[in-house]
Amino acid sequence: MAACSTSIVNMPPVNVGTLKGGSKNYAILKPNSFPTRPCWYKQQHSMLVVKASEGPIKKLGLSDAECEAAVVAGNVPEAPPVPPVPASPPGTPLISSFDISRRPRRNRRSPVLRSAFQETSLSPANFVYPLFIHEGEEDVPIGAMPGCYRLGWRHGLLEEVAKARDVGVNSIVLFPKVPDALKTPTGDEAYNDAGLVPRTIRLLKDKYPDLIIYTDVALDPYSSDGHDGIVREDGVIMNDETVHQLCKQAVSQARAGADVVSPSDMMDGRVGAIRSALDAEGFQHVSIMSYTAKYASSFYGPFREALDSNPRFGDKKTYQMNPANYREALIELRADESEGADILLVKPGLPYLDVIRLLRDNSPLPIAAYQVSGEYSMIKAGGVLKMIDEQKVMLESLMCLRRAGADIILTYFALQAARCLCGEN
Ligand code: PBG
């Protein structure tokens, strides 16, 4: 819908190359027409050639001199009168105007002014599209996430990627639904080079070599316990042993062709360990997007349904951050920066705008925001129930994540929003 695109998208710069004209439309400026000759004139004997407007100057009757003379003589030509002051409705109180010099509404009074002064832009280039994949041939709708599917890795996925690329979304992140029979306590399927994710990456890269593929690095889709790490007998999530597995997982993804590996597990020290593991295998060019501030959030509910990855017991509070904490994000930020992260991610998105701003103001690295499943589903549900305008709320939420400081946004709305920004619906 064009209406939403005009208010949200920043138009691309006008192509300067559209100026017309063959050689006859060039105006020749003699350098001596400069009031003072520029210093380079001495070396430059040729004339300056500047492209000017097309064709000869149109003659409409009086010459410039005659027009000026007429005005000087008091014969001012007619132009439309100043329009009358618009009437106020009857009953409007008669008051004297405030004596204020600041009236911020002046810069908001027309669409042209508003778009001229818009501080933040939103473009399909900012989106990373999370896609759920499975071994099946069919695309299975995800009940808790209307409009999202577990896509067949061989068919549905390729079609969805093609649709996204058509509207400028050329970055995706893959989330696999792994068969239960392949899940183990140590999640070893995570680094099977023939597993669902590496296989899918190879297929995608073969078809779309310039597609940027992000991967998720964590054990939960592969863990029979549904946790992001290895669970000890007493329920403790083992940190360093888990990181050992994550390094193998990241290397396997890189080997398949992943561009950006994204540890979402929240183990300590994993960014540095993954960096070393990638480098040792010759994957210096593969980036790490670290889930720097990932909170133990109830907004992940629909995602866990999508992947059937709910923890079998307990919660993720011993590794994901406490939603009440702000300063702690700085500790994670410093660790990730020093360990070599290329992109820092905050998750969830909208309820954590302050944390996005905190990272933005404390690091020069690119910041990513993850608009998670619960945020997506709430907007969808509100739209279906006609409580909110789904499309407008979608675009506003994405713009707000950008305004808070996110460079890129992982969002299930990527395709829908990009279509809207491109003027499609
Ligand atoms: C797991 C992972 C989760 C999400 C992304 N990676 C869920 C979790 O931590 O339990 C959530 C994404 C979403 O809710 O959209 N490593």
Side-chain angles (χ1 to χ4, degrees):
M1 192 211 279
C4 71
S5 65
T6 46
S7 61
I8 301 282
V9 160
N10 269 8
M11 293 315 237
V14 171
N15 184 356
V16 180
T18 53
L19 284 172
K20 287 190 215 100
S23 56
K24 29 181 180 348
N25 298 322
Y26 286 74
I28 313 280
L29 294 183
K30 292 196 179 113
N32 65 7
S33 63
F34 286 102
T36 49
R37 286 177 187 176
C39 58
W40 46 261
Y41 172 64
K42 290 190 190 77
Q43 299 115 46
Q44 189 129 3
H45 301 291
S46 60
M47 288 187 288
L48 289 175
V49 178
V50 175
K51 245 182 167 180
S53 59
E54 224 171 325
I57 296 167
K58 280 189 201 139
K59 258 283 190 193
L60 288 175
L62 297 179
S63 68
D64 287 2
E66 287 163 336
C67 290
E68 288 194 354
V71 172
V72 171
N75 299 325
V76 179
E78 269 191 37
V82 174
V85 176
S88 313
T92 302
L94 273 177
I95 51 142
S96 50
S97 301
F98 295 168
D99 183 17
I100 49 175
S101 58
R102 282 269 153 241
R103 286 188 184 262
R105 288 184 55 191
R106 280 194 284 261
N107 286 348
R108 297 179 207 137
R109 71 188 188 280
S110 86
V112 176
L113 290 169
R114 286 195 294 275
S115 71
F117 305 132
Q118 180 163 322
E119 299 174 38
T120 309
S121 65
L122 184 63
S123 140
N126 302 124
F127 300 149
V128 179
Y129 194 12
L131 295 169
F132 299 108
I133 50 173
H134 70 145
E135 295 286 1
E137 297 280 310
E138 276 167 18
D139 303 334
V140 185
I142 297 166
M145 299 177 71
C148 291
Y149 298 80
R150 289 177 187 166
L151 300 165
W153 69 282
R154 233 201 287 246
H155 306 291
L157 173 68
L158 297 187
E159 285 162 28
E160 194 70 8
V161 169
K163 286 183 208 161
R165 284 162 62 89
D166 274 351
V167 286
V169 177
N170 221 340
S171 301
I172 62 156
V173 54
L174 293 173
F175 291 105
K177 156 88 173 67
V178 175
D180 280 342
L182 293 176
K183 298 185 184 182
T184 59
T186 47
D188 300 276
E189 176 64 12
Y191 53 86
N192 174 4
D193 286 333
L196 179 56
V197 167
R199 215 186 314 134
T200 302
I201 296 171
R202 297 201 304 271
L203 179 66
L204 284 171
K205 280 285 173 181
D206 184 58
K207 185 120 206 280
Y208 309 113
D210 64 331
L211 179 72
I212 295 294
I213 303 179
Y214 292 66
T215 56
D216 194 60
V217 180
L219 296 186
D220 53 325
Y222 310 93
S223 156
S224 43
D225 296 310
H227 274 286
D228 291 21
I230 301 173
V231 187
R232 208 168 60 185
E233 190 181 30
D234 57 357
V236 167
I237 311 297
M238 303 173 77
N239 192 88
D240 302 11
E241 294 76 0
T242 297
V243 172
H244 179 85
Q245 300 290 72
L246 299 178
C247 288
K248 294 207 236 175
Q249 182 181 18
V251 167
S252 168
Q253 294 168 346
R255 196 179 289 127
D259 299 280
V260 185
V261 298
S262 324
S264 69
D265 55 288
M266 291 303 279
M267 297 300 120
D268 295 331
R270 89 277 207 210
V271 171
I274 291 172
R275 184 71 271 158
S276 306
L278 290 172
D279 292 353
E281 298 282 334
F283 299 114
Q284 281 81 0
H285 56 283
V286 172
S287 311
I288 299 177
M289 176 169 75
S290 175
Y291 283 61
T292 299
K294 177 174 181 179
Y295 287 87
S297 170
S298 301
F299 284 94
Y300 308 149
F303 174 96
R304 293 181 188 169
E305 186 213 296
L307 294 191
D308 195 11
S309 68
N310 259 304
R312 208 167 43 76
F313 64 89
D315 50 42
K316 300 191 174 185
K317 290 181 184 168
T318 69
Y319 43 108
Q320 299 181 347
M321 283 172 58
N322 180 347
N325 288 3
Y326 175 76
R327 292 191 317 268
E328 195 182 345
L330 281 180
I331 298 174
E332 293 284 356
L333 161 68
R334 287 182 191 143
D336 286 351
E337 269 195 330
S338 68
E339 291 174 33
D342 300 285
I343 307 165
L344 308 173
L345 183 143
V346 176
K347 177 182 179 184
L350 220 50
Y352 295 81
L353 293 183
D354 56 332
V355 181
I356 296 174
R357 172 52 54 190
L358 178 71
L359 297 204
R360 168 74 298 143
D361 288 345
N362 284 281
S363 174
L365 288 173
I367 305 295
Y370 198 144
Q371 181 178 55
V372 300
S373 54
E375 300 175 67
Y376 170 85
S377 297
M378 287 196 312
I379 295 174
K380 281 280 173 190
V384 168
L385 295 174
K386 302 255 181 288
M387 289 173 170
I388 53 170
D389 181 323
E390 175 185 322
Q391 188 166 281
K392 287 185 176 153
V393 171
M394 164 186 77
L395 290 170
E396 183 178 330
S397 67
L398 295 168
M399 183 65 86
C400 292
L401 291 164
R402 293 268 300 142
R403 189 203 61 230
D407 297 286
I408 58 171
I409 305 170
L410 285 71
T411 174
Y412 304 99
F413 281 122
L415 175 58
Q416 190 183 339
R419 282 183 171 162
C420 187
L421 294 173
C422 291
E424 293 175 20
N425 210 350

